[in-house]
Amino acid sequence: MTSRRMEGYRLGIDVGGTFTDIVLIGDDGSVRSYKEPSTPHDPSLAVQVGIAGMLDRVGLAAEQISLVVHGTTIGLNTIIQRRGARTALVVSSGNRDILEIARLEIANPFDMYGSKETPLIPRNLVFEVSARTRVDGTVEGAFCRREIDDIAEQLREQGIGSVAVVLLNSYRHPEMEEKIAQALRDSCPQVMVSQSARLWPEMREYERAMITVLNAYIHPQMAGYFRLLAERLRSIALTAPVYITTNNGGTIGIETARNRPIDTILSGPASGVVASCAVAASCGLPDFMSVDIGGTSSDMSLTVGGKPEYSTRSFVGDFPLILPVVNVSAIGAGGGSVVWIDDHGILKVGPRSAGAFPGPICYGRGGSETTVTDCYLVLEIVPHDFLGGRMTLDRAAAVRALAELGGRLGFSGAQAAERAAEAALKVATAKMATEVHRGAAERGLDIRDFVLVALGGAGPTHATLLAEETGIRTVLVPTSPGTLCAMGAVLSDLKRDYVRSIRRPLVPEVAQFFAGQAATIEAEARTWLAQDHLPGIETIPNWKAEMRYADEGIGLTVELPRTAVEAIDLHAIAQAFHVEHERIYGFREMEATIEIMTLHGQFVGSFPDSGISAPSASAAPPQSSTCRDIFEDGNWSRAEVFAREGLVPGAVVKGPAIVEQEDTTTWIRRGWHAEAQPSGIMRIERD
Amino acid sequence: MLTDPVTLEILSHKFSSVTDEIGYTIKRIAHSLYIREAHDFTSALVTNDGRVFAYPSRIGVSLFVDQNCGSAIKAMPDVQPGDVIITNHPYLTEGMASHLPDLHLLVPYFHEGQVICYGWLFAHFSDVGGRVPGSLSPSNADLFQEGLQIPPVKLYSGGEFVTDILAIINCNSRTPSSNTGDIRAMISAALVAQERISQIIARYGIDAFLQSQADLIQYSAQRSRDVLRRIPDGVYEAWDYMDDDLLSDIPLRLRLKMTVSDGLLELDFSGTDPQTPTSYNIPSCGRRSHWFTPRLMAFILTHDRDIPRNSGLFEPISVVVPQGTVLNPEFPAAVGLRATAATRLADVIQEALFRAAPDLVPAAPCGTAIPIVFSEFDAATHRERILIVQWCDGGSGARRGMDGIDGRGGSNANMSNNPIETVEDSASVVIEDYALRSDSGGPGRWRGGVGITLTFRVLCDGARILARNSDRFRFAPWGASGGRYSSYTRTVLNMGTTAEREVGKIDMLSLNKGDRVTVMIPGGGGYGDPFERNPEATRDDVARGLVSVEGAARDYGVVIVDGGIDFAATARRRAERQSQPAGPSAVSYDPQRLAWESVCDDKTMNSLVARLENYPAVRRWDMRRELFAEILPGLQGSQTNLTFMMRDPEPMRQRLRRAIAVL
């Protein structure tokens, strides 16, 4: 990170389903945030209106904005709701069932009523071409003009807006795929073409096809959205460069995003983790678990040494994704999860959710199923007016429902509802803790060494419960846990990933091949940077390789020193692998042949430091508090209640206590105390 | 149940989490591919009498919930903290270990000096000695050819390795170093669990810890029985065949009589064929083996998906398994490929369930999953290079209201296939076609899922392929409720050329440059009368290439012209059909099976098995082989056309009955 400050103001924008969040950062590091109701039928409208409104309120001219970073889940929602373009697929002969057969797996082999995912492209819109490239580059069967003409005619007849081209072995020999894609572009200029080797030239045709198909599926819609967004920003005289957040916790230029919308689909959670990194770093805590508890579910992400963890085995709806994404995994119940009792009298939480509508019983919108949120309310953890007073909650209805559940659990008397609510929160916490322990065991980590960064509307509410259950001693609550994605967007670096499948033994004879592959990555990165680069930003390549001993099955991803790649120092590359193998598996085999499977290059350019500072302390009103009784550990006890904005840096709050703010409520349980940090972050520790 | 309903739910999650942690730890630090890639291992927590009360939800083999560690625990009554028991013996553990490469560990967990439960862990090891590398071969004739037999002994005593035992194990393995690494990984994982268990006891108390074990099993048993009560009381019979047992060409029959009474099931396997001198036997020692119940577990979990996985699921199920049969072989019968017989047994159990509750159970799945193993000589290393060209799976059976799954879901194994690009980069082959196999799903109002066809061309001389364990060449998966049987497995050399040859069941096949091999896997059976299928659905099947135009007319009575339905012709064709509607629990078998049973009917075969029971188990197989050689001398290989051979069944059947009577 460079310490140079950027001239002018930066805007971070996150388009969500309900709200479009906008964060404005001044060149003095000051932060202002704003929520505009989203306009799902035309999402960039809310962006335009929101920015215009914000500039107006702050009294800024559009020319004073020097950078816009924008995040959106439109691509993801398009896939999940299956609202994408009518898409076709072109493959090598004999490979037409690639989407039907996939990798043979089905979600639950023990479900006699199970089914497989419905492919995004039906079998009759998959076309084969007879030219077939072998792994050594030999082409069997020639390029055939007539085939292309036939396919083009079908595309027109069927009203296809987007086509994916995925030929076998194109990860190494992309020429035929290029030729066929170009021929299709020439024949059908109205059809958008996605090519597998251009998007992600990694061996494994099904996974590469999924990237290409998903890209093609959202391509017309996303390209249209980005075009309209750019137009609307210009219409309010905003001429700053526009960047789009990506799955890997970085950003790319809007022009690049128009051709590779696949890179943006999982950017929302990634931005949350990027923002958490900044939160934890400002407290000097590099190892943390961020927990985002929302309405229907909870997610977690583990970060070691301040660097987000990447996964190349994630899922988008039903489909696998091998692009590197910031690793976020579900850990179960959210605020809307339903609390119920099964036929045998056992208390259950989830997996069903009451959703946003009708929502929990206490919302009074016709919801009849008790939820986790109802439990918080019955225990008096959350205030009766929600979202800064925009919504009033019906505690009496929640008490009635939980008293009835409590009766069936054998609780009687005046506190039946409270005891049932507390039991349900215990079950929900046990389920989350179970998933957290699984995640830690998978990585060989001890979760007690981590701090918990609480995100989402219910994250800070549930954080000390989950910390107690998992043995975590420190919880961090960011200033604005509900709008962290927009903040994460502004904090994201310029970043793109590249890949090459190598699959060669690490011996001197392959040095030249290896060097050639690294050089093609660098060339591709230069082309990208020429387009997306902001002047004056230095870009650094980070190299990684997936390697294995020749007799092993799964490769291990190892960071390679930059010098080792640039000088093709095979010894240093081998050494990096031996060391990592010993760290992970406890042994190394010095005599064994090492195979280098895949080379990854990530190019990162840091935007100048935003120098974000605390909301100025002097502006804060003096600390004040009220009291209310909350039900904790089987008893009613008196808790102090604070307004978040009233907590000046250095203020200490002893549990049991409640801290309220517009986007969340923080529950500080007995045995914990919180201290407001100069950065505005609330740090909660065990006594 | 004595545990309160909140604590029980919490402990259920905690226990399952402990078993997942054991699993992840093994996977992270183990050495061998079986563990790290194939996930052929698992772990569970078991009660002091050997019943599983917690099982992992995310990792490892999901098939072995019905594991019983009682005999192995009883064999080692004197255990101290820091002891670990090891065994792989199928007969001494009464089927807990079911073939020798699976090494099992039992780890006693203590609280204040008392054993409070055990950890059970197993992993498939690369090699435990025996006749062939990897220890497994269908042609292993007895257990001694299958490798080192380890009775329950202490591998770890008072926290120290018993190095003598480890030395014997390593001395008998072709891969000693990876075995040692895997054993160490398993022990490290088991120790993690002791710490977790102590934490749970510290928080919830020893009484709750002990009581909840029994209560969780009881809770699952109640929920399981509630599902099984949906099966009407009665007696239901079903049988099915493996094509042969490798050494003889006689179909091998597995037979079941299932008696249902108020959610209690008795599985009586009387009438099942004698044990074989090949390795297809399932060692059960007459008890309920975990290889008998996976399809029942699927049935139970289909109708109540969140029941905690523990031995309670199977409490309502009891078995009768005559000794000396494929399902209860006598020591030292070989057992290495018991999974092949278990695949067919699952179809038998599914058929009995279907006959009992036709609305709740699908038609048969493809019933075979074939790894095509390719071997070539590598000139650079002067060694044979071996890899799996492809795992071939077929379709699943249709059920009421839903077509079967196309090209997937035919087995519970849930293995992944190999990318074509990886295979072509590793072996001298070109995969020319890897596609859904049209017309291979059983016709039905709901169509059976279609199977898969794989064609590859060999680019070198002197290559070989092996496709052992393959089945369903002779008898096809059955259809249900008026739905029809699906199709046969086929293997063809140089299809579509003058040199085309039907290969049949492949043990080993030599191939040279330019040879093309095609493997076709069946689909699943159909459900309901195909002439009642919505013509639009059939038109879509034709458009997607899953049913041919001819198949649509022949099997569904749907006439397709230029991609559209000819409604008038379809109505005529459907009206012309003269057959009786099938009953709801009707099962449709293929012509080969009907021909076979026109001679070898149930009654006759039952009488043969009963006669053979008068002789020692080791003699039965030979006597049966000699009998068939005399009566049915034409029975050779899976290519034998049974409908032709048995075109005049009655005299054959009479001869067979006379021969049986004088046994």
Side-chain angles (χ1 to χ4, degrees), chain A residues 233-574:
Chain A
L233 294 182
R234 269 196 305 276
S235 78
I236 54 170
L238 225 172
T239 51
V242 179
Y243 287 81
I244 308 295
T245 58
T246 47
N247 310 329
N248 60 5
T251 68
I252 52 179
I254 191 167
E255 285 306 314
T256 303
R258 277 174 69 164
N259 289 321
R260 311 176 54 89
I262 185 72
D263 283 346
T264 70
I265 54 176
L266 296 177
S267 60
S271 292
V273 174
V274 168
S276 300
C277 279
V279 166
S282 77
C283 296
L285 298 165
D287 299 341
F288 68 89
M289 167 173 73
S290 64
V291 174
D292 183 339
I293 305 182
T296 56
S297 65
S298 314
D299 296 320
M300 76 153 183
S301 182
L302 281 166
T303 299
V304 178
K307 283 193 256 180
E309 181 188 60
Y310 291 101
S311 169
T312 51
R313 294 170 187 209
S314 54
F315 274 85
V316 179
D318 297 330
F319 307 107
L321 188 72
I322 59 166
L323 291 173
V325 305
V326 173
N327 196 6
V328 173
S329 53
I331 57 166
S337 293
V338 172
V339 177
W340 56 291
I341 294 174
D342 79 359
D343 294 344
H344 300 266
I346 305 295
L347 178 64
K348 304 279 178 183
V349 180
R352 215 178 49 257
S353 166
F357 203 89
I361 288 178
C362 62
Y363 283 13
R365 293 195 294 218
S368 58
E369 291 183 302
T370 315
T371 65
V372 169
T373 299
D374 293 308
C375 296
Y376 297 140
L377 182 66
V378 165
L379 301 181
E380 296 282 11
I381 305 303
V382 293
H384 294 208
D385 53 341
F386 220 39
L387 288 173
R390 272 179 282 174
M391 190 165 162
T392 303
L393 303 182
D394 183 355
R395 180 169 182 272
V399 167
R400 276 195 302 277
L402 275 154
E404 190 273 328
L405 274 176
R408 286 195 277 149
L409 290 169
F411 300 138
S412 54
Q415 296 182 347
E418 290 81 357
R419 290 170 67 194
E422 195 160 68
L425 293 186
K426 272 188 194 166
V427 168
T429 311
K431 285 179 79 168
M432 287 181 203
T434 296
E435 295 298 335
V436 167
H437 280 135
R438 280 187 184 119
E442 216 175 340
R443 298 166 176 86
L445 301 172
D446 188 338
I447 201 66
R448 291 170 297 188
D449 301 338
F450 284 67
V451 299
L452 194 165
V453 179
L455 313 179
T461 316
H462 215 99
T464 44
L465 268 179
L466 182 60
E468 283 173 9
E469 191 72 23
T470 49
I472 287 176
R473 309 190 59 83
T474 305
V475 174
L476 301 178
V477 181
T479 318
S480 182
T483 57
L484 216 60
C485 288
M487 176 64 87
V490 192
L491 297 173
S492 297
D493 294 328
L494 192 64
K495 193 182 285 183
R496 249 190 87 179
D497 288 288
Y498 297 89
V499 71
R500 294 291 181 274
S501 283
I502 309 284
R503 278 178 71 96
R504 296 276 202 283
L506 197 61
V507 292
E509 297 84 81
V510 301
Q512 207 179 345
F513 176 72
F514 183 82
Q517 295 294 305
T520 62
I521 287 183
E522 282 178 329
E524 219 182 302
R526 270 197 303 278
T527 311
W528 164 59
L529 287 167
Q531 180 175 307
D532 284 0
H533 206 206
L534 274 184
I537 296 178
E538 194 191 352
T539 314
I540 309 165
N542 297 319
W543 297 98
K544 285 183 200 171
E546 187 193 341
M547 296 192 268
R548 65 180 189 187
Y549 292 123
D551 60 343
E552 289 182 318
I554 299 174
L556 189 61
T557 300
V558 179
E559 287 184 27
L560 302 180
R562 191 175 159 187
T563 50
V565 176
E566 281 167 3
I568 312 300
D569 180 347
L570 298 190
H571 179 75
I573 292 171

Side-chain angles (χ1 to χ4, degrees), chain B residues 50-98:
Chain B
R51 295 182 301 154
V52 170
F53 69 89
Y55 199 86
S57 58
R58 296 288 162 72
I59 180 146
V61 179
S62 45
L63 283 171
F64 292 168
V65 185
D66 194 9
Q67 183 59 286
N68 190 332
C69 308
S71 305
I73 289 173
K74 262 197 225 104
M76 298 295 284
D78 175 34
V79 287
Q80 305 298 327
D83 287 358
V84 175
I85 302 163
I86 188 168
T87 180
N88 71 345
H89 204 295
Y91 294 94
L92 293 178
T93 62
E94 297 197 291
M96 177 186 87
S98 61

Side-chain angles (χ1 to χ4, degrees), chain A residues 36-60:
Chain A
E36 175 74 24
S38 288
T39 45
H41 59 284
D42 181 7
S44 59
L45 183 62
V47 177
Q48 181 192 349
V49 173
I51 292 178
M54 178 139 205
L55 294 178
D56 198 37
R57 284 204 318 179
V58 181
L60 275 181

